[in-house]
Amino acid sequence: MAIDHARPARASSERTTVRRRRGWRGRGLTIALAAALAAGALATVPAALGTAPAEAAAAGWWEPPNRPAEDVELNVSGEPFTGTTANGEVRGLIDSHTHLNSNEGFGGHLICGAPFSPNGVADALKDCPEHYPDGSAALFENLVSGDADGKHDPVGWPTFTDWPKTTSMTHQASYYAWVERAWRGGQRILVNDLVTNGVICSLPIMPKDRSCDEMTAIRLEAQKAREMESYIDDIYGGAGKGFFRIVTTPAEARSVIEQGKLAVVLGVEMSEPFGCKMILDVAQCSKADIDRGLDEFAAMGVSSIFLCHKFDNALCGVRFDPGTQGTIINIGQFYSTGTYWKTEACTGPHHDNPIGNAPPPEELPGAEPPTYPSEAQCNTRGLTSLGEYALKAVMARNMMVEVDHMSVKAAGRTLDILEADDYPGVLSSHSWMDENWTERLYKLGGFKTSYPHAAEGFIEEWQDGAALREQYDKGYGVGLDFNGIGGHPGGGSSDVTVEYPFTAADGTTVVERQVSGERTFDVNTDGFVHSGLLPDYVEQLRLAGGGDELVGDLMSGAESYLQTWEATAAHESSQNLATGKPAWASSNENNPFTSYAASRAVDGRDNTRWASGNWGASPQWLRVDLGDSQPISRVSVNWESAAAKAYEVQVSDDAQNWRTVWSTTAGNGGLDTASFAATSARHVRVLCTERTTNYGYSITELGVFAG
């Protein structure tokens, strides 16, 4: 979800999961295959090349027998591709971040219109009642939209005079048949993020007909997603026959995609998950609340989650929104927490979005957010101790975690924790992460997609990441964020013209202009107004300079996402070989009230630590005896604030002769993970040679992991 999107400012270890090389690199291969199939040259190998079986073609399984007589049109032709490539990979576009059911959140009156209705399209695609007769009472819409006069024609179906459009933030953009059109044009995965925001719901300008409780809204959206699946099944002739399939495992997703259908994955994006808001820096949830909430999400079939979104909460700080939207969100932050955002100078190349110091809108009287210095662009709030507990609880349930919307301080600590456990389940789905984190994300095995900027901006972001995608063999995708209160590329935003009809990304589907009632949508003049224009947008990207290479990367996105999900589902935490083993240190700080002995760094607890004595002296060291020779390839060091700027990880067979397997001169504290070629050793030592503070060296926990 976004209140608008501004593009953020911008060493490899072997993984245990073997990744298959992507075989899908562009449209040329598919076009050639289609020509060969038409000539009968490949009749003996249809399944291996992703073509549909002859019996499926005869049945026309992709044409639903019970579509309502009155409905929007698809305006596409051609049989959806099925099966896998010759090396067993799926193909298809991925929308990694969208909100099909957000009309049920925010008190029920923020997103007007629904993705489906048993009463048909006229009931689904209608405006909120308070928007009649001229939209002037649509206070939130007028606050965030691009309408200059604060009015709009509220009538949706069949005229659609003023919506959907790219500058309208509160009207339905993911009607089921628009999603169906995107599927027919090559999309094979959709991540449906269940979303709400209790503070926005509670604003005095917001009408509502239900509770603002976030967990209640998420439950309802999950229920509506299942009802939507059943509704589409009925149109397609019965249970399980629809194109729209909610999946809870990567194996289910592969099966659905191989049938040529759309795999729908459930995620959660909310500002106060599990009730974990904070008031005046006091957490309003407990560890039990987190575990109970995650268990409920797992039972719903949720596979990915944001720990924070828009407002700082009890788990983590957020990456700011810029400009006027940033001011609005900061005011919401105050309503939610009792405090405005707090900033500090960034300590490295990573930074949060600049807040911008825009004046508060007149619609929010009495708000007085502070003025922020331009050199202070980082949120002071990172991942809290409760947030670390929540992250590890997510990992324990083999869920994927989103780092978009996290402050750089929170995202950095999150990546530290994931690296310490070699955990691959990390996502950045809609351009809300500092680009400098990308290699760490890919190195873990994570997956990244982009918000749908105007074509040239999207292509630039794709090009910027090309080298890393090639290095780590990653596909690409889009996080459309429809129904997420974010703007989309308008008509005329690209210099190129999409000529209708055109051939979609799959190389065979023919796409015409999309017709909804009395309205015909053209991506050239209307822009990317609803999810059904995904094929049109991809064609625009191709023409604007992305070419077949960009299309190929996008068609590899589904496979790349599944590889991340599979590695996450299969992940088992490594045993810390150091826990409970004998440990020694060069010196220990003396304290009459507690012990800072070496053993405190290997006791499996984060609230104890080893601290060196002789503060002015270096080097200092901490070592552990594993008991016998072990194959090891990873050592994690969780520093207390007294950390080492320069240190080495050393191993030995006899505790006398040491060899260095990893070193740094740029340590900055936190949680470090040293990965190196697997080697066998009985003893492991951290040799500290330069301090980050005037104190000594202090380690809360030392981790040693097998190769």
Side-chain angles (χ1 to χ4, degrees):
M1 175 184 172
I3 297 294
D4 202 356
H5 276 263
R7 186 180 171 198
R10 296 190 26 110
S12 174
S13 64
E14 244 182 22
R15 296 202 52 78
T16 55
T17 301
V18 178
R19 300 190 179 281
R20 295 169 286 186
R21 285 293 298 179
R22 299 199 312 272
W24 177 260
R25 304 300 297 176
R27 302 195 324 158
L29 173 61
T30 303
I31 294 171
L33 290 178
L37 283 168
L42 299 178
T44 59
V45 287
L49 295 171
T51 60
E55 59 270 21
W61 61 271
W62 62 94
E63 297 290 352
N66 302 324
R67 190 184 300 281
E70 183 180 65
D71 211 344
V72 307
E73 300 176 22
L74 300 190
N75 308 109
V76 294
S77 59
E79 180 178 348
F81 62 87
T82 63
T84 60
T85 62
N87 61 353
E89 296 180 353
V90 302
R91 299 173 290 129
L93 306 172
I94 177 173
D95 174 5
S96 62
H97 186 108
T98 229
H99 306 291
L100 298 181
N101 307 102
S102 60
N103 59 298
E104 304 294 349
F106 308 96
H109 284 252
L110 178 63
I111 303 298
C112 303
F116 77 101
S117 169
N119 297 320
V121 64
D123 185 59
L125 295 180
K126 64 183 180 182
D127 212 338
C128 291
E130 58 275 3
H131 288 199
Y132 290 86
D134 63 359
S136 58
L139 300 182
F140 191 88
E141 164 77 2
N142 297 335
L143 182 66
V144 300
S145 78
D147 288 327
D149 63 357
K151 296 181 179 181
H152 68 266
D153 180 358
V155 177
W157 176 270
T159 57
F160 297 111
T161 301
D162 277 343
W163 63 272
K165 64 180 178 181
T166 59
T167 55
S168 174
M169 308 297 181
T170 66
H171 291 95
Q172 181 60 234
S174 292
Y175 182 62
Y176 93 90
W178 292 335
V179 174
E180 185 177 17
R181 185 176 191 268
W183 159 66
R184 288 287 299 272
Q187 183 179 345
R188 290 297 178 268
I189 293 180
L190 183 151
V191 179
N192 181 21
D193 283 317
L194 313 175
V195 65
T196 193
N197 185 295
V199 173
I200 291 176
C201 175
S202 300
L203 289 174
I205 64 172
M206 287 299 301
K208 58 190 70 70
D209 59 16
R210 63 197 64 177
S211 165
C212 290
D213 179 72
E214 291 195 356
M215 291 296 285
T216 299
I218 295 300
R219 293 182 190 109
L220 179 59
E221 290 182 40
Q223 173 189 328
K224 289 297 182 180
R226 299 285 180 180
E227 291 177 9
M228 182 172 175
E229 180 182 51
S230 295
Y231 174 80
I232 295 171
D233 276 356
D234 289 343
I235 290 174
Y236 272 75
K241 293 187 176 181
F243 75 91
F244 183 98
R245 314 301 326 147
I246 296 175
V247 298
T248 59
T249 68
E252 288 179 354
R254 283 196 182 277
S255 176
V256 164
I257 297 169
E258 288 167 4
Q259 296 171 48
K261 298 183 179 182
L262 179 67
V264 179
V265 184
L266 299 183
V268 168
E269 183 184 43
M270 56 196 296
S271 292
E272 297 163 358
F274 330 117
C276 284
K277 68 183 300 175
M278 64 174 185
I279 299 177
L280 299 176
D281 289 323
V282 177
Q284 304 298 300
C285 69
S286 66
K287 293 178 179 179
D289 293 326
I290 292 170
D291 285 323
R292 187 163 46 247
L294 282 172
D295 287 343
E296 183 175 358
F297 286 160
M300 288 180 189
V302 169
S303 298
S304 60
I305 185 171
F306 290 76
L307 292 182
C308 51
H309 174 239
K310 294 304 177 186
F311 307 138
D312 295 346
N313 61 26
L315 307 179
C316 47
V318 294
R319 194 166 194 226
F320 310 129
D321 282 67
T324 300
Q325 288 81 6
T327 299
I328 295 170
I329 294 299
N330 199 11
I331 293 169
Q333 155 97 6
F334 181 79
Y335 289 161
S336 174
T337 68
T339 60
Y340 288 106
W341 286 325
K342 297 176 183 177
T343 67
E344 62 186 3
C346 304
T347 58
H350 308 85
H351 61 81
D352 295 319
N353 293 320
I355 297 175
N357 297 320
E362 295 179 358
E363 293 89 343
L364 297 173
E368 297 182 1
T371 299
Y372 296 92
S374 59
E375 67 274 11
Q377 291 189 7
C378 279
N379 194 335
T380 61
R381 193 171 187 85
L383 192 68
T384 67
S385 58
L386 202 58
E388 292 196 14
Y389 180 87
L391 175 61
K392 291 174 182 177
V394 168
M395 296 163 64
R397 290 161 176 81
N398 295 83
M399 292 179 174
M400 294 175 284
V401 63
E402 289 263 10
V403 292
D404 279 11
H405 289 297
M406 284 186 177
S407 68
V408 293
K409 185 177 286 189
R413 181 65 176 180
T414 295
L415 291 168
D416 288 344
I417 292 171
L418 298 176
E419 287 166 346
D421 198 33
D422 200 27
Y423 192 82
V426 56
L427 304 170
S428 171
S429 60
H430 63 328
S431 301
W432 211 257
M433 176 191 77
D434 188 300
E435 293 294 317
N436 291 294
W437 297 126
T438 302
E439 182 164 16
R440 291 181 68 182
L441 179 145
Y442 281 161
K443 193 173 181 179
L444 280 164
F447 181 63
K448 178 182 181 297
T449 56
S450 174
Y451 191 82
H453 311 295
E456 286 73 15
F458 186 96
I459 291 169
E460 181 184 356
E461 190 168 333
W462 165 72
Q463 290 171 333
D464 287 347
L468 284 175
R469 286 196 307 276
E470 181 66 25
Q471 179 180 349
Y472 292 97
D473 193 27
K474 296 293 180 180
Y476 206 47
V478 289
L480 296 184
D481 206 7
F482 276 117
N483 298 340
I485 322 177
H488 290 79
S493 61
S494 175
D495 293 334
V496 301
T497 300
V498 173
E499 299 288 346
Y500 292 90
F502 64 86
T503 302
D506 64 356
T508 57
T509 301
V510 177
V511 181
E512 301 277 1
R513 290 176 180 83
Q514 198 279 315
V515 178
S516 296
E518 299 172 13
R519 180 80 183 273
T520 298
F521 291 102
D522 184 321
V523 74
N524 300 298
T525 55
D526 298 304
F528 198 176
V529 294
H530 61 65
S531 56
L533 297 190
L534 177 59
D536 313 55
Y537 178 65
V538 172
E539 175 67 1
Q540 188 177 72
L541 294 175
R542 185 183 73 84
L543 296 172
D548 286 351
E549 183 179 0
L550 172 54
V551 175
D553 277 353
L554 292 174
M555 288 295 285
S556 297
E559 175 63 36
S560 198
Y561 175 87
L562 287 179
Q563 289 181 5
T564 293
W565 193 8
E566 285 167 336
T568 305
H571 179 79
E572 296 182 4
S573 293
S574 302
Q575 178 187 2
N576 185 352
L577 302 175
T579 301
K581 299 297 172 60
W584 296 266
S586 54
S587 64
N588 302 312
E589 179 182 340
N590 291 318
N591 186 299
F593 303 106
T594 190
S595 170
Y596 294 121
S599 60
R600 292 302 185 97
V602 292
D603 61 4
R605 299 166 59 193
D606 288 335
N607 61 348
T608 61
R609 60 189 174 96
W610 163 70
S612 69
N614 303 323
W615 286 358
S618 288
Q620 298 284 331
W621 51 261
L622 170 72
R623 72 174 175 90
V624 61
D625 180 356
L626 303 180
D628 54 24
S629 184
Q630 303 268 7
I632 59 175
S633 64
R634 196 170 82 252
V635 169
S636 65
V637 185
N638 199 359
W639 297 99
E640 194 256 354
S641 56
K645 180 179 180 181
Y647 69 99
E648 300 175 17
V649 174
Q650 300 179 322
V651 297
S652 173
D653 298 317
D654 56 8
Q656 299 295 320
N657 299 291
W658 297 92
R659 58 188 187 274
T660 298
V661 292
W662 186 91
S663 65
T664 185
T665 58
N668 60 359
L671 175 59
D672 292 343
T673 297
S675 297
F676 43 86
T679 186
S680 292
R682 173 173 173 171
H683 304 273
V684 177
R685 181 169 76 170
V686 178
L687 178 67
C688 307
T689 56
E690 184 179 353
R691 297 168 294 166
T692 59
T693 70
N694 292 326
Y695 303 100
Y697 303 96
S698 186
I699 296 173
T700 60
E701 199 67 20
L702 178 67
V704 179
F705 303 97

